[in-house]
mmCIF file with all atom_site columns, all heavy atoms in Angstrom:
data_model
loop_
_atom_site.group_PDB
_atom_site.id
_atom_site.type_symbol
_atom_site.label_atom_id
_atom_site.label_alt_id
_atom_site.label_comp_id
_atom_site.label_asym_id
_atom_site.label_entity_id
_atom_site.label_seq_id
_atom_site.pdbx_PDB_ins_code
_atom_site.Cartn_x
_atom_site.Cartn_y
_atom_site.Cartn_z
_atom_site.occupancy
_atom_site.B_iso_or_equiv
_atom_site.pdbx_formal_charge
_atom_site.auth_seq_id
_atom_site.auth_comp_id
_atom_site.auth_asym_id
_atom_site.auth_atom_id
_atom_site.pdbx_PDB_model_num
ATOM 1   N N   . ASP U 1 1  ? 24.054 167.401 -1.955  1.00 92.00 ? 1  ASP U N   1
ATOM 2   C CA  . ASP U 1 1  ? 25.307 167.729 -2.616  1.00 92.00 ? 1  ASP U CA  1
ATOM 3   C C   . ASP U 1 1  ? 26.152 166.487 -2.912  1.00 92.00 ? 1  ASP U C   1
ATOM 4   O O   . ASP U 1 1  ? 27.345 166.572 -3.148  1.00 92.00 ? 1  ASP U O   1
ATOM 5   C CB  . ASP U 1 1  ? 26.113 168.736 -1.794  1.00 92.00 ? 1  ASP U CB  1
ATOM 6   C CG  . ASP U 1 1  ? 26.482 168.220 -0.411  1.00 92.00 ? 1  ASP U CG  1
ATOM 7   O OD1 . ASP U 1 1  ? 26.103 167.077 -0.073  1.00 92.00 ? 1  ASP U OD1 1
ATOM 8   O OD2 . ASP U 1 1  ? 27.151 168.951 0.331   1.00 92.00 ? 1  ASP U OD2 1
ATOM 9   N N   . GLY U 1 2  ? 25.504 165.333 -2.931  1.00 95.00 ? 2  GLY U N   1
ATOM 10  C CA  . GLY U 1 2  ? 26.188 164.089 -3.261  1.00 95.00 ? 2  GLY U CA  1
ATOM 11  C C   . GLY U 1 2  ? 25.774 163.601 -4.636  1.00 95.00 ? 2  GLY U C   1
ATOM 12  O O   . GLY U 1 2  ? 25.532 164.395 -5.534  1.00 95.00 ? 2  GLY U O   1
ATOM 13  N N   . VAL U 1 3  ? 25.696 162.294 -4.785  1.00 97.00 ? 3  VAL U N   1
ATOM 14  C CA  . VAL U 1 3  ? 25.320 161.672 -6.053  1.00 97.00 ? 3  VAL U CA  1
ATOM 15  C C   . VAL U 1 3  ? 23.818 161.405 -6.023  1.00 97.00 ? 3  VAL U C   1
ATOM 16  O O   . VAL U 1 3  ? 23.310 160.789 -5.090  1.00 97.00 ? 3  VAL U O   1
ATOM 17  C CB  . VAL U 1 3  ? 26.100 160.358 -6.288  1.00 97.00 ? 3  VAL U CB  1
ATOM 18  C CG1 . VAL U 1 3  ? 25.739 159.760 -7.643  1.00 97.00 ? 3  VAL U CG1 1
ATOM 19  C CG2 . VAL U 1 3  ? 27.602 160.609 -6.201  1.00 97.00 ? 3  VAL U CG2 1
ATOM 20  N N   . LEU U 1 4  ? 23.133 161.861 -7.039  1.00 97.00 ? 4  LEU U N   1
ATOM 21  C CA  . LEU U 1 4  ? 21.680 161.776 -7.095  1.00 97.00 ? 4  LEU U CA  1
ATOM 22  C C   . LEU U 1 4  ? 21.245 160.910 -8.271  1.00 97.00 ? 4  LEU U C   1
ATOM 23  O O   . LEU U 1 4  ? 21.694 161.115 -9.397  1.00 97.00 ? 4  LEU U O   1
ATOM 24  C CB  . LEU U 1 4  ? 21.097 163.188 -7.245  1.00 97.00 ? 4  LEU U CB  1
ATOM 25  C CG  . LEU U 1 4  ? 19.587 163.325 -7.332  1.00 97.00 ? 4  LEU U CG  1
ATOM 26  C CD1 . LEU U 1 4  ? 18.920 162.827 -6.054  1.00 97.00 ? 4  LEU U CD1 1
ATOM 27  C CD2 . LEU U 1 4  ? 19.221 164.788 -7.599  1.00 97.00 ? 4  LEU U CD2 1
ATOM 28  N N   . ALA U 1 5  ? 20.365 159.940 -8.004  1.00 97.00 ? 5  ALA U N   1
ATOM 29  C CA  . ALA U 1 5  ? 19.773 159.107 -9.050  1.00 97.00 ? 5  ALA U CA  1
ATOM 30  C C   . ALA U 1 5  ? 18.311 159.510 -9.219  1.00 97.00 ? 5  ALA U C   1
ATOM 31  O O   . ALA U 1 5  ? 17.556 159.513 -8.246  1.00 97.00 ? 5  ALA U O   1
ATOM 32  C CB  . ALA U 1 5  ? 19.870 157.638 -8.666  1.00 97.00 ? 5  ALA U CB  1
ATOM 33  N N   . LEU U 1 6  ? 17.945 159.856 -10.436 1.00 97.00 ? 6  LEU U N   1
ATOM 34  C CA  . LEU U 1 6  ? 16.562 160.232 -10.722 1.00 97.00 ? 6  LEU U CA  1
ATOM 35  C C   . LEU U 1 6  ? 15.791 159.038 -11.261 1.00 97.00 ? 6  LEU U C   1
ATOM 36  O O   . LEU U 1 6  ? 16.361 158.186 -11.947 1.00 97.00 ? 6  LEU U O   1
ATOM 37  C CB  . LEU U 1 6  ? 16.513 161.342 -11.783 1.00 97.00 ? 6  LEU U CB  1
ATOM 38  C CG  . LEU U 1 6  ? 16.501 162.780 -11.276 1.00 97.00 ? 6  LEU U CG  1
ATOM 39  C CD1 . LEU U 1 6  ? 17.722 163.078 -10.445 1.00 97.00 ? 6  LEU U CD1 1
ATOM 40  C CD2 . LEU U 1 6  ? 16.382 163.747 -12.421 1.00 97.00 ? 6  LEU U CD2 1
ATOM 41  N N   . GLY U 1 7  ? 14.495 159.014 -10.976 1.00 91.00 ? 7  GLY U N   1
ATOM 42  C CA  . GLY U 1 7  ? 13.627 158.010 -11.574 1.00 91.00 ? 7  GLY U CA  1
ATOM 43  C C   . GLY U 1 7  ? 13.664 158.153 -13.090 1.00 91.00 ? 7  GLY U C   1
ATOM 44  O O   . GLY U 1 7  ? 13.862 159.256 -13.614 1.00 91.00 ? 7  GLY U O   1
ATOM 45  N N   . GLY U 1 8  ? 13.470 157.061 -13.794 1.00 89.00 ? 8  GLY U N   1
ATOM 46  C CA  . GLY U 1 8  ? 13.615 157.044 -15.241 1.00 89.00 ? 8  GLY U CA  1
ATOM 47  C C   . GLY U 1 8  ? 12.770 158.043 -15.993 1.00 89.00 ? 8  GLY U C   1
ATOM 48  O O   . GLY U 1 8  ? 13.195 158.593 -17.002 1.00 89.00 ? 8  GLY U O   1
ATOM 49  N N   . GLY U 1 9  ? 11.552 158.313 -15.510 1.00 90.00 ? 9  GLY U N   1
ATOM 50  C CA  . GLY U 1 9  ? 10.657 159.221 -16.216 1.00 90.00 ? 9  GLY U CA  1
ATOM 51  C C   . GLY U 1 9  ? 10.694 160.653 -15.738 1.00 90.00 ? 9  GLY U C   1
ATOM 52  O O   . GLY U 1 9  ? 10.004 161.514 -16.290 1.00 90.00 ? 9  GLY U O   1
ATOM 53  N N   . ALA U 1 10 ? 11.509 160.934 -14.749 1.00 94.00 ? 10 ALA U N   1
ATOM 54  C CA  . ALA U 1 10 ? 11.557 162.290 -14.183 1.00 94.00 ? 10 ALA U CA  1
ATOM 55  C C   . ALA U 1 10 ? 11.887 163.333 -15.244 1.00 94.00 ? 10 ALA U C   1
ATOM 56  O O   . ALA U 1 10 ? 11.396 164.461 -15.193 1.00 94.00 ? 10 ALA U O   1
ATOM 57  C CB  . ALA U 1 10 ? 12.569 162.356 -13.045 1.00 94.00 ? 10 ALA U CB  1
ATOM 58  N N   . VAL U 1 11 ? 12.698 162.946 -16.218 1.00 94.00 ? 11 VAL U N   1
ATOM 59  C CA  . VAL U 1 11 ? 13.145 163.902 -17.238 1.00 94.00 ? 11 VAL U CA  1
ATOM 60  C C   . VAL U 1 11 ? 12.026 164.350 -18.176 1.00 94.00 ? 11 VAL U C   1
ATOM 61  O O   . VAL U 1 11 ? 12.206 165.300 -18.925 1.00 94.00 ? 11 VAL U O   1
ATOM 62  C CB  . VAL U 1 11 ? 14.300 163.338 -18.082 1.00 94.00 ? 11 VAL U CB  1
ATOM 63  C CG1 . VAL U 1 11 ? 15.509 163.024 -17.224 1.00 94.00 ? 11 VAL U CG1 1
ATOM 64  C CG2 . VAL U 1 11 ? 13.862 162.116 -18.872 1.00 94.00 ? 11 VAL U CG2 1
ATOM 65  N N   . LEU U 1 12 ? 10.885 163.693 -18.134 1.00 91.00 ? 12 LEU U N   1
ATOM 66  C CA  . LEU U 1 12 ? 9.797  164.065 -19.040 1.00 91.00 ? 12 LEU U CA  1
ATOM 67  C C   . LEU U 1 12 ? 9.063  165.320 -18.595 1.00 91.00 ? 12 LEU U C   1
ATOM 68  O O   . LEU U 1 12 ? 8.393  165.965 -19.394 1.00 91.00 ? 12 LEU U O   1
ATOM 69  C CB  . LEU U 1 12 ? 8.805  162.912 -19.190 1.00 91.00 ? 12 LEU U CB  1
ATOM 70  C CG  . LEU U 1 12 ? 9.396  161.645 -19.813 1.00 91.00 ? 12 LEU U CG  1
ATOM 71  C CD1 . LEU U 1 12 ? 8.342  160.554 -19.885 1.00 91.00 ? 12 LEU U CD1 1
ATOM 72  C CD2 . LEU U 1 12 ? 9.972  161.935 -21.183 1.00 91.00 ? 12 LEU U CD2 1
ATOM 73  N N   . ASP U 1 13 ? 9.196  165.699 -17.339 1.00 94.00 ? 13 ASP U N   1
ATOM 74  C CA  . ASP U 1 13 ? 8.522  166.876 -16.823 1.00 94.00 ? 13 ASP U CA  1
ATOM 75  C C   . ASP U 1 13 ? 9.263  168.135 -17.284 1.00 94.00 ? 13 ASP U C   1
ATOM 76  O O   . ASP U 1 13 ? 10.470 168.251 -17.059 1.00 94.00 ? 13 ASP U O   1
ATOM 77  C CB  . ASP U 1 13 ? 8.490  166.822 -15.290 1.00 94.00 ? 13 ASP U CB  1
ATOM 78  C CG  . ASP U 1 13 ? 7.781  168.024 -14.718 1.00 94.00 ? 13 ASP U CG  1
ATOM 79  O OD1 . ASP U 1 13 ? 6.542  168.006 -14.689 1.00 94.00 ? 13 ASP U OD1 1
ATOM 80  O OD2 . ASP U 1 13 ? 8.481  168.988 -14.326 1.00 94.00 ? 13 ASP U OD2 1
ATOM 81  N N   . PRO U 1 14 ? 8.568  169.081 -17.927 1.00 95.00 ? 14 PRO U N   1
ATOM 82  C CA  . PRO U 1 14 ? 9.237  170.297 -18.413 1.00 95.00 ? 14 PRO U CA  1
ATOM 83  C C   . PRO U 1 14 ? 9.947  171.090 -17.311 1.00 95.00 ? 14 PRO U C   1
ATOM 84  O O   . PRO U 1 14 ? 11.038 171.629 -17.542 1.00 95.00 ? 14 PRO U O   1
ATOM 85  C CB  . PRO U 1 14 ? 8.105  171.118 -19.041 1.00 95.00 ? 14 PRO U CB  1
ATOM 86  C CG  . PRO U 1 14 ? 7.065  170.107 -19.403 1.00 95.00 ? 14 PRO U CG  1
ATOM 87  C CD  . PRO U 1 14 ? 7.171  169.030 -18.346 1.00 95.00 ? 14 PRO U CD  1
ATOM 88  N N   . GLN U 1 15 ? 9.364  171.152 -16.122 1.00 94.00 ? 15 GLN U N   1
ATOM 89  C CA  . GLN U 1 15 ? 10.022 171.867 -15.024 1.00 94.00 ? 15 GLN U CA  1
ATOM 90  C C   . GLN U 1 15 ? 11.305 171.154 -14.605 1.00 94.00 ? 15 GLN U C   1
ATOM 91  O O   . GLN U 1 15 ? 12.321 171.797 -14.307 1.00 94.00 ? 15 GLN U O   1
ATOM 92  C CB  . GLN U 1 15 ? 9.081  172.002 -13.828 1.00 94.00 ? 15 GLN U CB  1
ATOM 93  C CG  . GLN U 1 15 ? 7.913  172.931 -14.074 1.00 94.00 ? 15 GLN U CG  1
ATOM 94  C CD  . GLN U 1 15 ? 6.934  172.951 -12.899 1.00 94.00 ? 15 GLN U CD  1
ATOM 95  O OE1 . GLN U 1 15 ? 7.121  172.277 -11.894 1.00 94.00 ? 15 GLN U OE1 1
ATOM 96  N NE2 . GLN U 1 15 ? 5.874  173.743 -13.048 1.00 94.00 ? 15 GLN U NE2 1
ATOM 97  N N   . THR U 1 16 ? 11.264 169.842 -14.595 1.00 95.00 ? 16 THR U N   1
ATOM 98  C CA  . THR U 1 16 ? 12.459 169.071 -14.252 1.00 95.00 ? 16 THR U CA  1
ATOM 99  C C   . THR U 1 16 ? 13.518 169.230 -15.335 1.00 95.00 ? 16 THR U C   1
ATOM 100 O O   . THR U 1 16 ? 14.703 169.376 -15.037 1.00 95.00 ? 16 THR U O   1
ATOM 101 C CB  . THR U 1 16 ? 12.105 167.592 -14.025 1.00 95.00 ? 16 THR U CB  1
ATOM 102 O OG1 . THR U 1 16 ? 11.206 167.505 -12.910 1.00 95.00 ? 16 THR U OG1 1
ATOM 103 C CG2 . THR U 1 16 ? 13.335 166.746 -13.745 1.00 95.00 ? 16 THR U CG2 1
ATOM 104 N N   . GLN U 1 17 ? 13.112 169.231 -16.592 1.00 95.00 ? 17 GLN U N   1
ATOM 105 C CA  . GLN U 1 17 ? 14.069 169.460 -17.676 1.00 95.00 ? 17 GLN U CA  1
ATOM 106 C C   . GLN U 1 17 ? 14.765 170.806 -17.502 1.00 95.00 ? 17 GLN U C   1
ATOM 107 O O   . GLN U 1 17 ? 15.995 170.900 -17.630 1.00 95.00 ? 17 GLN U O   1
ATOM 108 C CB  . GLN U 1 17 ? 13.364 169.426 -19.033 1.00 95.00 ? 17 GLN U CB  1
ATOM 109 C CG  . GLN U 1 17 ? 12.894 168.069 -19.445 1.00 95.00 ? 17 GLN U CG  1
ATOM 110 C CD  . GLN U 1 17 ? 12.061 168.094 -20.712 1.00 95.00 ? 17 GLN U CD  1
ATOM 111 O OE1 . GLN U 1 17 ? 12.163 169.016 -21.525 1.00 95.00 ? 17 GLN U OE1 1
ATOM 112 N NE2 . GLN U 1 17 ? 11.234 167.084 -20.888 1.00 95.00 ? 17 GLN U NE2 1
ATOM 113 N N   . ASP U 1 18 ? 13.991 171.837 -17.182 1.00 96.00 ? 18 ASP U N   1
ATOM 114 C CA  . ASP U 1 18 ? 14.586 173.162 -16.951 1.00 96.00 ? 18 ASP U CA  1
ATOM 115 C C   . ASP U 1 18 ? 15.555 173.129 -15.775 1.00 96.00 ? 18 ASP U C   1
ATOM 116 O O   . ASP U 1 18 ? 16.640 173.712 -15.837 1.00 96.00 ? 18 ASP U O   1
ATOM 117 C CB  . ASP U 1 18 ? 13.499 174.213 -16.706 1.00 96.00 ? 18 ASP U CB  1
ATOM 118 C CG  . ASP U 1 18 ? 12.695 174.541 -17.956 1.00 96.00 ? 18 ASP U CG  1
ATOM 119 O OD1 . ASP U 1 18 ? 13.149 174.219 -19.078 1.00 96.00 ? 18 ASP U OD1 1
ATOM 120 O OD2 . ASP U 1 18 ? 11.593 175.124 -17.803 1.00 96.00 ? 18 ASP U OD2 1
ATOM 121 N N   . ALA U 1 19 ? 15.160 172.438 -14.707 1.00 95.00 ? 19 ALA U N   1
ATOM 122 C CA  . ALA U 1 19 ? 16.024 172.343 -13.527 1.00 95.00 ? 19 ALA U CA  1
ATOM 123 C C   . ALA U 1 19 ? 17.320 171.601 -13.861 1.00 95.00 ? 19 ALA U C   1
ATOM 124 O O   . ALA U 1 19 ? 18.403 172.002 -13.411 1.00 95.00 ? 19 ALA U O   1
ATOM 125 C CB  . ALA U 1 19 ? 15.281 171.644 -12.386 1.00 95.00 ? 19 ALA U CB  1
ATOM 126 N N   . LEU U 1 20 ? 17.218 170.550 -14.660 1.00 95.00 ? 20 LEU U N   1
ATOM 127 C CA  . LEU U 1 20 ? 18.410 169.794 -15.044 1.00 95.00 ? 20 LEU U CA  1
ATOM 128 C C   . LEU U 1 20 ? 19.331 170.630 -15.926 1.00 95.00 ? 20 LEU U C   1
ATOM 129 O O   . LEU U 1 20 ? 20.556 170.602 -15.765 1.00 95.00 ? 20 LEU U O   1
ATOM 130 C CB  . LEU U 1 20 ? 18.025 168.499 -15.763 1.00 95.00 ? 20 LEU U CB  1
ATOM 131 C CG  . LEU U 1 20 ? 17.313 167.453 -14.917 1.00 95.00 ? 20 LEU U CG  1
ATOM 132 C CD1 . LEU U 1 20 ? 16.881 166.269 -15.771 1.00 95.00 ? 20 LEU U CD1 1
ATOM 133 C CD2 . LEU U 1 20 ? 18.190 166.990 -13.777 1.00 95.00 ? 20 LEU U CD2 1
ATOM 134 N N   . ARG U 1 21 ? 18.755 171.370 -16.852 1.00 95.00 ? 21 ARG U N   1
ATOM 135 C CA  . ARG U 1 21 ? 19.567 172.253 -17.701 1.00 95.00 ? 21 ARG U CA  1
ATOM 136 C C   . ARG U 1 21 ? 20.283 173.303 -16.857 1.00 95.00 ? 21 ARG U C   1
ATOM 137 O O   . ARG U 1 21 ? 21.468 173.573 -17.061 1.00 95.00 ? 21 ARG U O   1
ATOM 138 C CB  . ARG U 1 21 ? 18.704 172.927 -18.758 1.00 95.00 ? 21 ARG U CB  1
ATOM 139 C CG  . ARG U 1 21 ? 18.289 172.018 -19.877 1.00 95.00 ? 21 ARG U CG  1
ATOM 140 C CD  . ARG U 1 21 ? 17.529 172.806 -20.963 1.00 95.00 ? 21 ARG U CD  1
ATOM 141 N NE  . ARG U 1 21 ? 16.741 171.896 -21.743 1.00 95.00 ? 21 ARG U NE  1
ATOM 142 C CZ  . ARG U 1 21 ? 15.424 171.688 -21.587 1.00 95.00 ? 21 ARG U CZ  1
ATOM 143 N NH1 . ARG U 1 21 ? 14.734 172.364 -20.686 1.00 95.00 ? 21 ARG U NH1 1
ATOM 144 N NH2 . ARG U 1 21 ? 14.802 170.819 -22.346 1.00 95.00 ? 21 ARG U NH2 1
ATOM 145 N N   . SER U 1 22 ? 19.560 173.893 -15.910 1.00 95.00 ? 22 SER U N   1
ATOM 146 C CA  . SER U 1 22 ? 20.169 174.903 -15.034 1.00 95.00 ? 22 SER U CA  1
ATOM 147 C C   . SER U 1 22 ? 21.276 174.287 -14.197 1.00 95.00 ? 22 SER U C   1
ATOM 148 O O   . SER U 1 22 ? 22.345 174.891 -14.029 1.00 95.00 ? 22 SER U O   1
ATOM 149 C CB  . SER U 1 22 ? 19.110 175.526 -14.116 1.00 95.00 ? 22 SER U CB  1
ATOM 150 O OG  . SER U 1 22 ? 18.189 176.268 -14.862 1.00 95.00 ? 22 SER U OG  1
ATOM 151 N N   . TYR U 1 23 ? 21.031 173.114 -13.691 1.00 94.00 ? 23 TYR U N   1
ATOM 152 C CA  . TYR U 1 23 ? 22.033 172.402 -12.892 1.00 94.00 ? 23 TYR U CA  1
ATOM 153 C C   . TYR U 1 23 ? 23.280 172.143 -13.743 1.00 94.00 ? 23 TYR U C   1
ATOM 154 O O   . TYR U 1 23 ? 24.405 172.433 -13.333 1.00 94.00 ? 23 TYR U O   1
ATOM 155 C CB  . TYR U 1 23 ? 21.422 171.096 -12.378 1.00 94.00 ? 23 TYR U CB  1
ATOM 156 C CG  . TYR U 1 23 ? 22.362 170.222 -11.599 1.00 94.00 ? 23 TYR U CG  1
ATOM 157 C CD1 . TYR U 1 23 ? 22.697 170.515 -10.282 1.00 94.00 ? 23 TYR U CD1 1
ATOM 158 C CD2 . TYR U 1 23 ? 22.909 169.080 -12.175 1.00 94.00 ? 23 TYR U CD2 1
ATOM 159 C CE1 . TYR U 1 23 ? 23.564 169.696 -9.552  1.00 94.00 ? 23 TYR U CE1 1
ATOM 160 C CE2 . TYR U 1 23 ? 23.766 168.256 -11.458 1.00 94.00 ? 23 TYR U CE2 1
ATOM 161 C CZ  . TYR U 1 23 ? 24.089 168.571 -10.160 1.00 94.00 ? 23 TYR U CZ  1
ATOM 162 O OH  . TYR U 1 23 ? 24.937 167.760 -9.449  1.00 94.00 ? 23 TYR U OH  1
ATOM 163 N N   . ARG U 1 24 ? 23.068 171.598 -14.932 1.00 93.00 ? 24 ARG U N   1
ATOM 164 C CA  . ARG U 1 24 ? 24.170 171.294 -15.853 1.00 93.00 ? 24 ARG U CA  1
ATOM 165 C C   . ARG U 1 24 ? 24.905 172.568 -16.266 1.00 93.00 ? 24 ARG U C   1
ATOM 166 O O   . ARG U 1 24 ? 26.130 172.637 -16.222 1.00 93.00 ? 24 ARG U O   1
ATOM 167 C CB  . ARG U 1 24 ? 23.621 170.575 -17.084 1.00 93.00 ? 24 ARG U CB  1
ATOM 168 C CG  . ARG U 1 24 ? 24.655 170.267 -18.168 1.00 93.00 ? 24 ARG U CG  1
ATOM 169 C CD  . ARG U 1 24 ? 24.006 170.001 -19.505 1.00 93.00 ? 24 ARG U CD  1
ATOM 170 N NE  . ARG U 1 24 ? 23.335 171.209 -19.972 1.00 93.00 ? 24 ARG U NE  1
ATOM 171 C CZ  . ARG U 1 24 ? 22.302 171.214 -20.808 1.00 93.00 ? 24 ARG U CZ  1
ATOM 172 N NH1 . ARG U 1 24 ? 21.786 170.096 -21.249 1.00 93.00 ? 24 ARG U NH1 1
ATOM 173 N NH2 . ARG U 1 24 ? 21.771 172.348 -21.194 1.00 93.00 ? 24 ARG U NH2 1
ATOM 174 N N   . ASP U 1 25 ? 24.151 173.588 -16.647 1.00 93.00 ? 25 ASP U N   1
ATOM 175 C CA  . ASP U 1 25 ? 24.754 174.833 -17.118 1.00 93.00 ? 25 ASP U CA  1
ATOM 176 C C   . ASP U 1 25 ? 25.459 175.587 -15.996 1.00 93.00 ? 25 ASP U C   1
ATOM 177 O O   . ASP U 1 25 ? 26.341 176.400 -16.252 1.00 93.00 ? 25 ASP U O   1
ATOM 178 C CB  . ASP U 1 25 ? 23.706 175.713 -17.796 1.00 93.00 ? 25 ASP U CB  1
ATOM 179 C CG  . ASP U 1 25 ? 23.150 175.069 -19.071 1.00 93.00 ? 25 ASP U CG  1
ATOM 180 O OD1 . ASP U 1 25 ? 23.753 174.098 -19.565 1.00 93.00 ? 25 ASP U OD1 1
ATOM 181 O OD2 . ASP U 1 25 ? 22.103 175.552 -19.552 1.00 93.00 ? 25 ASP U OD2 1
ATOM 182 N N   . GLY U 1 26 ? 25.070 175.282 -14.753 1.00 92.00 ? 26 GLY U N   1
ATOM 183 C CA  . GLY U 1 26 ? 25.720 175.882 -13.595 1.00 92.00 ? 26 GLY U CA  1
ATOM 184 C C   . GLY U 1 26 ? 26.946 175.111 -13.126 1.00 92.00 ? 26 GLY U C   1
ATOM 185 O O   . GLY U 1 26 ? 27.492 175.390 -12.068 1.00 92.00 ? 26 GLY U O   1
ATOM 186 N N   . GLY U 1 27 ? 27.351 174.107 -13.874 1.00 90.00 ? 27 GLY U N   1
ATOM 187 C CA  . GLY U 1 27 ? 28.549 173.342 -13.528 1.00 90.00 ? 27 GLY U CA  1
ATOM 188 C C   . GLY U 1 27 ? 28.272 171.970 -12.958 1.00 90.00 ? 27 GLY U C   1
ATOM 189 O O   . GLY U 1 27 ? 29.203 171.205 -12.704 1.00 90.00 ? 27 GLY U O   1
ATOM 190 N N   . GLY U 1 28 ? 26.999 171.620 -12.744 1.00 92.00 ? 28 GLY U N   1
ATOM 191 C CA  . GLY U 1 28 ? 26.670 170.286 -12.269 1.00 92.00 ? 28 GLY U CA  1
ATOM 192 C C   . GLY U 1 28 ? 26.817 169.267 -13.386 1.00 92.00 ? 28 GLY U C   1
ATOM 193 O O   . GLY U 1 28 ? 26.792 169.602 -14.567 1.00 92.00 ? 28 GLY U O   1
ATOM 194 N N   . VAL U 1 29 ? 26.987 168.027 -13.003 1.00 93.00 ? 29 VAL U N   1
ATOM 195 C CA  . VAL U 1 29 ? 27.181 166.952 -13.981 1.00 93.00 ? 29 VAL U CA  1
ATOM 196 C C   . VAL U 1 29 ? 25.928 166.092 -14.028 1.00 93.00 ? 29 VAL U C   1
ATOM 197 O O   . VAL U 1 29 ? 25.462 165.601 -13.000 1.00 93.00 ? 29 VAL U O   1
ATOM 198 C CB  . VAL U 1 29 ? 28.404 166.083 -13.604 1.00 93.00 ? 29 VAL U CB  1
ATOM 199 C CG1 . VAL U 1 29 ? 28.546 164.917 -14.566 1.00 93.00 ? 29 VAL U CG1 1
ATOM 200 C CG2 . VAL U 1 29 ? 29.660 166.931 -13.594 1.00 93.00 ? 29 VAL U CG2 1
ATOM 201 N N   . VAL U 1 30 ? 25.398 165.914 -15.237 1.00 96.00 ? 30 VAL U N   1
ATOM 202 C CA  . VAL U 1 30 ? 24.252 165.040 -15.465 1.00 96.00 ? 30 VAL U CA  1
ATOM 203 C C   . VAL U 1 30 ? 24.738 163.910 -16.371 1.00 96.00 ? 30 VAL U C   1
ATOM 204 O O   . VAL U 1 30 ? 25.130 164.159 -17.512 1.00 96.00 ? 30 VAL U O   1
ATOM 205 C CB  . VAL U 1 30 ? 23.075 165.796 -16.125 1.00 96.00 ? 30 VAL U CB  1
ATOM 206 C CG1 . VAL U 1 30 ? 21.901 164.843 -16.342 1.00 96.00 ? 30 VAL U CG1 1
ATOM 207 C CG2 . VAL U 1 30 ? 22.665 167.004 -15.294 1.00 96.00 ? 30 VAL U CG2 1
ATOM 208 N N   . VAL U 1 31 ? 24.728 162.694 -15.840 1.00 97.00 ? 31 VAL U N   1
ATOM 209 C CA  . VAL U 1 31 ? 25.214 161.530 -16.574 1.00 97.00 ? 31 VAL U CA  1
ATOM 210 C C   . VAL U 1 31 ? 24.020 160.698 -17.032 1.00 97.00 ? 31 VAL U C   1
ATOM 211 O O   . VAL U 1 31 ? 23.214 160.243 -16.210 1.00 97.00 ? 31 VAL U O   1
ATOM 212 C CB  . VAL U 1 31 ? 26.144 160.659 -15.703 1.00 97.00 ? 31 VAL U CB  1
ATOM 213 C CG1 . VAL U 1 31 ? 26.626 159.432 -16.480 1.00 97.00 ? 31 VAL U CG1 1
ATOM 214 C CG2 . VAL U 1 31 ? 27.329 161.484 -15.200 1.00 97.00 ? 31 VAL U CG2 1
ATOM 215 N N   . PHE U 1 32 ? 23.929 160.517 -18.343 1.00 97.00 ? 32 PHE U N   1
ATOM 216 C CA  . PHE U 1 32 ? 22.905 159.650 -18.930 1.00 97.00 ? 32 PHE U CA  1
ATOM 217 C C   . PHE U 1 32 ? 23.476 158.237 -18.967 1.00 97.00 ? 32 PHE U C   1
ATOM 218 O O   . PHE U 1 32 ? 24.412 157.954 -19.709 1.00 97.00 ? 32 PHE U O   1
ATOM 219 C CB  . PHE U 1 32 ? 22.537 160.150 -20.325 1.00 97.00 ? 32 PHE U CB  1
ATOM 220 C CG  . PHE U 1 32 ? 21.753 159.183 -21.193 1.00 97.00 ? 32 PHE U CG  1
ATOM 221 C CD1 . PHE U 1 32 ? 20.923 158.202 -20.663 1.00 97.00 ? 32 PHE U CD1 1
ATOM 222 C CD2 . PHE U 1 32 ? 21.827 159.282 -22.579 1.00 97.00 ? 32 PHE U CD2 1
ATOM 223 C CE1 . PHE U 1 32 ? 20.204 157.329 -21.465 1.00 97.00 ? 32 PHE U CE1 1
ATOM 224 C CE2 . PHE U 1 32 ? 21.116 158.424 -23.402 1.00 97.00 ? 32 PHE U CE2 1
ATOM 225 C CZ  . PHE U 1 32 ? 20.306 157.447 -22.844 1.00 97.00 ? 32 PHE U CZ  1
ATOM 226 N N   . LEU U 1 33 ? 22.922 157.360 -18.126 1.00 97.00 ? 33 LEU U N   1
ATOM 227 C CA  . LEU U 1 33 ? 23.299 155.951 -18.147 1.00 97.00 ? 33 LEU U CA  1
ATOM 228 C C   . LEU U 1 33 ? 22.436 155.255 -19.186 1.00 97.00 ? 33 LEU U C   1
ATOM 229 O O   . LEU U 1 33 ? 21.238 155.063 -18.993 1.00 97.00 ? 33 LEU U O   1
ATOM 230 C CB  . LEU U 1 33 ? 23.100 155.304 -16.773 1.00 97.00 ? 33 LEU U CB  1
ATOM 231 C CG  . LEU U 1 33 ? 23.982 155.811 -15.643 1.00 97.00 ? 33 LEU U CG  1
ATOM 232 C CD1 . LEU U 1 33 ? 23.726 155.005 -14.372 1.00 97.00 ? 33 LEU U CD1 1
ATOM 233 C CD2 . LEU U 1 33 ? 25.450 155.783 -16.021 1.00 97.00 ? 33 LEU U CD2 1
#
């Protein structure tokens, strides 16, 4: 429940993309550096 840094290529996995969308759509913040 803190600040999470993902590996650069993690976003390429379709399951991870879905998880990130759900996280974002549920009120979580995803920051693209």
Side-chain angles (χ1 to χ4, degrees):
D1 61 359
V3 183
L4 180 62
L6 268 59
V11 299
L12 297 179
D13 181 81
Q15 291 175 0
T16 298
Q17 290 173 23
D18 290 343
L20 293 175
R21 286 185 201 100
S22 293
Y23 177 77
R24 177 199 65 206
D25 295 346
V29 176
V30 180
V31 179
F32 166 27
L33 295 184

